[in-house]
Amino acid sequence: SVKRKMAMINRMRILTNNVRPIQRRFMGGHSIEAAEADTKQWINITIGAFGACGIVTAWVLYVESQHEHHHSEPRSYLKIRTKPYPWDCSDCNFFESQCFKDCKAAKQQ
């Protein structure tokens, strides 16, 4: 039984030493040179795409800065209160800093 186990281990050693190393497979059938060329091509495409995005962004910023922005009157339906807020300036929303400043200035006068 011990001899049989040792014989099995020796056979496994012999079989594993004769196995060729696994070669790296390129699924597209490319050589290393072709893979490097494809990589360089996609790097250039990426650089070009970033450049195009930068140009479009600059153009949009230019066009948007040329026209006047229309600030309409505040609409009454945007400020519906069913009950006052629980802080000092009860008509101001929590993140309306200008409303808080105006309210505190009115209270000081």
Side-chain angles (χ1 to χ4, degrees):
S1 149
V2 173
K3 286 184 181 181
R4 228 184 251 180
K5 287 182 184 178
M6 290 303 291
M8 179 71 85
I9 291 172
N10 285 334
R11 272 190 240 132
M12 293 302 290
R13 284 184 188 158
I14 291 170
L15 288 174
T16 56
N17 286 337
N18 291 333
V19 174
R20 292 185 304 166
I22 297 173
Q23 292 183 350
R24 188 169 171 196
R25 294 180 59 197
F26 293 102
M27 294 311 232
H30 293 290
S31 64
I32 292 177
E33 293 81 17
E36 288 174 355
D38 285 346
T39 303
K40 288 179 184 176
Q41 177 187 5
W42 280 106
I43 288 172
N44 290 334
I45 290 171
T46 303
I47 291 170
F50 275 117
C53 287
I55 290 170
V56 169
T57 301
W59 175 73
V60 168
L61 289 173
Y62 173 74
V63 169
E64 289 296 321
S65 68
Q66 294 301 313
H67 71 273
E68 294 182 24
H69 293 279
H70 304 285
H71 298 287
S72 62
E73 296 295 322
R75 293 175 175 83
S76 62
Y77 63 85
L78 293 177
K79 200 168 188 177
I80 297 174
R81 306 282 186 265
T82 56
K83 63 181 183 176
Y85 288 120
W87 40 80
D88 292 339
C89 298
S90 61
D91 196 35
C92 298
N93 286 333
F94 191 68
F95 294 108
E96 282 186 300
S97 61
Q98 187 62 41
C99 181
F100 276 106
K101 289 176 186 175
D102 295 342
C103 177
K104 289 180 182 178
K107 284 183 180 181
Q108 287 178 357
Q109 291 177 354

